[in-house]
Amino acid sequence: MAAADVSTVPPPGFYRFKVGQLDVTALSDGTHPFPVDSVMVGASEAQIDQALEHDFLGKPPVGSINAFLINTGKKLILVDAGAGALYGDCCGQVVQQIKAAGYSPEQVDLVLITHLHKDHVGGLASNGRAVFPNAVVRASKVDVDYWSSSAAKARAPAFLASFFDAAVASIAPYKAAGRLQVITGAGPIGDGIAAVTSPGHTPGHLSYAITSQDQTLLVIGDLIHVAALQLPHPDVTVKYDTDGAAARVSRSSVLKSAAENRYLIAAAHLSFPGVGHFRRVADTFEWVPVNYEAAATH
Ligand SMILES: [Zn+2]
C-alpha cells in the first residue's frame, strides 16, 4: 500500500478563469529561487527576514514567472512569453503549458509584452526563429527603442548588458517579418484592451487593462516582485529597475487604483497563478489570491 514511488510527473502549470466573456489561462513558465538579499533595494536584511517569516517563506523565497493567455473567442492573445531558454532549466515552460491548456503556439494571434526583460520576452524566439509564427508582437515604443539602443546599453549597469542583447534577439524574428508593432502611449489598443503606462521598472513598462462585460483584468507585469516584502513596504524597489523612484510611483498609483476599483489582477511574479486582488490597508497592501473555480468554462 505504501510502496508507490514519488511521482515524477510535473505538476500542472495552467489555471483557467473567466473575465466577463473571456477565457483567461494563467501559464506557469517555471519557478526559481529569488535572490532577495542581492536584488531588493531599500530594505534591510532584518526587514527582509521579518517579511519572509511573516509570510511563512524560506530564504531565498521561490519566485514565479507567469504569463497569461486570453481567448476572446475571436483572437488568442498572450501577455508576456516567459524566459524561453534564458533562465536555464527552471523556466521556459510557456509553450508546454499552452499545449497542456489545449492550444498551440501557432494559434496565438497577438503577443502583448509588458516590458522587454528576458523573463518576459525570452520565450518569443528559439534559435532565432519565432516561437509564435503567426503572431503580431506588440510592446511599448519606449521600451523597444531603449533596449535596442547601444548608447543606452553603454550607460546602463554592466549586469544589464545581457538584457539588451536578449531583448534585441527575442524581437528580431518578428521585426524582420514586419510583425513587431509598437504601442506609443496609454489608451485603447483594440480587442477591449487598454495600455496603462507604468514606467520605472523599465522606461516603457506597460500594464494592460482587459475588460469584458463589467469585469476588468489588470495585467501588471513587474510592478511587484516579492509580495511578502513589497506589499507591506511598497517603497522597496529592485536593482533591475531602470528608475527606482519612478517604479515606486507606478507601483503605488496602479495598486491604489486596482484596490479602489476592485480590479482582478494578473501578476508576472506573484505566486502562480498570480491572480487575485489587492486590498489597501492604510499605505500598504494585502494580496487576496483568486477563489478557485473548477468549471471556469461556462
Ligand atoms: Zn522585469
Side-chain angles (χ1 to χ4, degrees), residues 115-120 163 201-202 205 221-222 225 240 269:
H115 65 297
L116 267 68
H117 276 170
K118 51 176 123 175
D119 49 331
H120 300 258
F163 283 68
H201 179 57
T202 62
H205 185 282
D222 278 14
H225 289 82
Y240 296 99
H269 299 308

Side-chain angles (χ1 to χ4, degrees), residues 62-270:
V62 169
S64 289
I65 301 178
N66 310 321
F68 301 93
L69 189 66
I70 296 133
N71 188 352
T72 69
K74 290 182 183 149
K75 270 192 184 174
L76 197 57
I77 301 169
L78 178 65
V79 186
D80 286 340
L86 304 178
Y87 267 43
D89 290 345
C90 68
C91 307
Q93 292 157 25
V94 156
V95 166
Q96 182 188 321
Q97 300 305 346
I98 287 174
K99 291 176 181 167
Y103 298 106
S104 74
E106 290 76 18
Q107 289 177 308
V108 175
D109 299 292
L110 174 63
V111 186
L112 297 175
I113 296 297
T114 58
H115 65 297
L116 267 68
H117 276 170
K118 51 176 123 175
D119 49 331
H120 300 258
V121 296
L124 285 175
S126 175
N127 298 317
R129 307 184 71 138
V131 168
F132 305 100
N134 302 310
V136 165
V137 170
R138 300 199 69 185
S140 132
K141 180 177 188 324
V142 174
D143 247 33
V144 170
D145 289 349
Y146 178 80
W147 295 102
S148 308
S149 158
S150 46
K153 183 181 174 184
R155 279 196 308 270
F159 69 86
L160 283 174
S162 70
F163 283 68
F164 285 84
D165 302 339
V168 169
S170 300
I171 59 176
Y174 302 89
K175 199 175 171 186
R179 290 193 284 109
L180 176 67
Q181 291 177 10
V182 293
I183 297 169
T184 52
I189 56 167
D191 304 304
I193 301 175
V196 178
T197 47
S198 39
H201 179 57
T202 62
H205 185 282
L206 291 176
S207 306
Y208 294 101
I210 301 159
T211 302
S212 173
Q213 296 174 327
D214 56 352
Q215 263 196 300
T216 294
L217 175 72
L218 189 62
V219 186
I220 61 165
D222 278 14
L223 288 181
I224 288 272
H225 289 82
V226 180
L229 182 62
Q230 289 176 294
L231 294 182
H233 305 288
D235 282 354
V236 173
T237 58
V238 294
K239 77 169 182 182
Y240 296 99
D241 291 337
T242 308
D243 179 342
R248 203 179 285 145
V249 170
S250 288
R251 175 163 43 259
S252 137
S253 79
V254 172
L255 264 59
K256 278 178 190 163
S257 145
E260 239 168 70
N261 293 296
R262 302 176 71 86
Y263 291 146
L264 188 61
I265 299 297
H269 299 308
L270 298 192

